[in-house]
Amino acid sequence: MKVIASAPGKLMIFGEHAVVYQRPCLVTAVSSRIEVEIEEINSGFSINAPQVKDVRFIEETIKVFKERYKISSAKGLLIKTKSDFSSLYGFGSSSAVTVATITALSKIYDLNLTKEEIFKLGYQINLNVQKVGSGFDIAAAIFGGIVYFVTGGQVIEPIKTKKIPLVVGYSGVKADTPKIVQELKKKIDNKFFKKRADEIFDEIKNLTQSAKEKLIKADWLSLGLLMNKNQSLLTELGVSTKKLDYMCQAAIKAGAWGAKLSGAGGGDCMIALVSDEKRKLVEEAITQVGGQIINVSAQAEGVRVKIKI
Ligand code: PMV
């Protein structure tokens, strides 16, 4: 039997870092996807994943899956992946590949896992390999659309709204998310910063909750202002970079409703919320300060199985 499953990448809209500390975030799945094809073969195990930066996620998924579901089949597996985005952008290729692999295995072994079961397994695999993380990217890859999410999947709430008009700019620098999360943790362990960090996370929590309401109403003007406030707090946490700041400022100057970094910071992408009329101007402004526009759209469909032979 051969199964192909594909899962989307993601972009954080609100709440990064705070979501590692028991606060909520808002994440959207994006139109770039990773496809995982799994075929049962007579024996052996082979992975062909040229665009996946870290095949440990696939290896760990197979291992944990077989242990959890007591798979004792003597047959082997041939695994191939195809991606339509570079792992450089921070779109969550690891979580997408993990979710697609679990979903394909669930079909191969006829387990009919629920989304919640796939989340639990995916989050555990994510932590086994990466040690840190809230699991928001796993939820986005499974559920798709926009998700309101609290640390470890305590809340996973799909949000229905109009198409969110985002421009995405890549800073040209690959961010090392686990490293940035660990460095921030070290900083917070210092008692002088801890109090302020807690206040910042609470402020981000309030912003994220307001953002959820504005998002549902498609009130882009208010949402943009909240993005700018979130960006200031991320700058205060020390996770933004000069390049990301310039890109956000350029976007706002060119008429965006708001702009902020998306994800761990330290590089990767920023997002700007823009009207159709201002889109071109904003894209040009971001490019002029050295950013690269990435053409993806938000609210993509979550994991899906394409073919089963
Ligand atoms: O760098 P990204 O896009 O994977 O986003 C990381 C977001 C954090 O909140 C910093 C970490 C997490 O797992 O929630």
Side-chain angles (χ1 to χ4, degrees):
M1 183 198 301
K2 191 196 272 184
V3 173
I4 299 177
S6 81
K10 56 84 186 105
L11 275 170
M12 185 70 100
I13 315 178
F14 277 88
E16 45 274 273
H17 289 291
V19 67
V20 178
Y21 297 87
Q22 306 298 320
R23 273 80 166 186
C25 74
L26 282 161
V27 55
T28 182
V30 295
S31 50
S32 299
R33 305 182 76 84
I34 284 199
E35 200 174 89
V36 176
E37 178 187 301
I38 306 189
E39 189 179 354
E40 269 193 307
I41 49 175
N42 286 337
S43 63
F45 174 67
S46 149
I47 300 178
N48 179 358
Q51 301 129 317
V52 173
K53 75 169 192 289
D54 195 343
V55 292
R56 281 182 306 159
F57 286 94
I58 301 177
E59 291 164 351
E60 187 66 16
T61 302
I62 307 285
K63 185 173 147 263
V64 172
F65 191 95
K66 286 193 163 176
E67 279 166 15
R68 170 80 58 96
Y69 296 107
K70 308 204 172 10
I71 308 290
S72 54
S73 163
K75 287 196 166 176
L77 294 171
L78 179 62
I79 299 169
K80 292 184 200 156
T81 71
K82 224 167 53 191
S83 158
D84 46 42
F85 60 91
S86 159
S87 65
L88 288 180
Y89 303 150
F91 282 176
S93 50
S94 309
S95 43
V97 87
T98 302
V99 165
T101 306
I102 298 171
T103 305
L105 289 173
S106 159
K107 282 277 173 219
I108 294 248
Y109 298 116
D110 224 4
L111 290 173
N112 274 322
L113 298 185
T114 63
K115 288 182 173 175
E116 287 70 23
E117 285 168 322
I118 297 173
F119 176 80
K120 271 197 192 133
L121 200 64
Y123 185 43
Q124 183 196 329
I125 291 158
N126 201 267
L127 286 181
N128 288 357
V129 178
Q130 235 174 227
K131 312 292 175 224
V132 291
S134 64
F136 81 107
D137 41 3
I138 297 280
I142 297 169
F143 290 84
I146 294 179
V147 176
Y148 177 81
F149 177 90
V150 179
T151 328
Q154 293 166 55
V155 178
I156 301 179
E157 185 187 335
I159 301 292
K160 283 209 166 47
T161 183
K162 290 190 180 147
K163 196 90 190 154
I164 180 170
L166 290 181
V167 163
V168 182
Y170 177 55
S171 66
V173 179
K174 174 76 202 114
D176 183 343
T177 297
K179 188 162 165 251
I180 296 166
V181 171
Q182 266 148 0
E183 277 172 7
L184 185 61
K185 185 176 179 312
K186 257 195 232 148
K187 220 167 124 182
I188 292 170
D189 285 344
N190 175 329
K191 68 174 192 283
F192 296 108
F193 189 62
K194 182 166 187 342
K195 191 166 164 285
R196 181 59 194 141
D198 259 341
E199 287 166 7
I200 292 176
F201 291 149
D202 280 338
E203 286 174 47
I204 293 178
K205 173 184 170 183
N206 294 337
L207 288 178
T208 304
Q209 284 169 340
S210 309
K212 182 181 159 192
E213 285 162 29
K214 305 298 178 199
L215 196 59
I216 291 168
K217 290 186 192 142
D219 177 353
W220 307 136
L221 183 65
S222 306
L223 195 69
L225 293 173
L226 294 171
M227 282 170 85
N228 296 343
K229 287 187 184 159
N230 196 159
Q231 173 63 14
S232 306
L233 293 166
L234 289 165
T235 305
E236 195 181 338
L237 276 179
V239 295
S240 194
T241 63
K242 277 211 166 72
K243 181 77 173 276
L244 287 166
D245 288 343
Y246 290 148
M247 290 164 74
C248 292
Q249 284 153 15
I252 292 162
K253 224 170 134 193
W257 284 304
K260 61 181 279 296
L261 67 82
S262 171
D268 284 352
C269 290
M270 51 73 71
I271 50 175
L273 195 65
V274 295
S275 62
D276 281 351
E277 302 80 68
K278 293 283 164 69
R279 174 171 290 268
K280 211 166 173 307
L281 283 175
V282 170
E283 288 183 349
E284 276 165 13
I286 292 172
T287 311
Q288 257 172 21
V289 293
Q292 180 194 337
I293 300 301
I294 312 290
N295 286 313
V296 284
S297 57
Q299 289 133 300
E301 191 191 349
V303 67
R304 61 176 181 236
V305 173
K306 246 172 86 173
I307 303 175
K308 193 176 165 189
I309 308 165

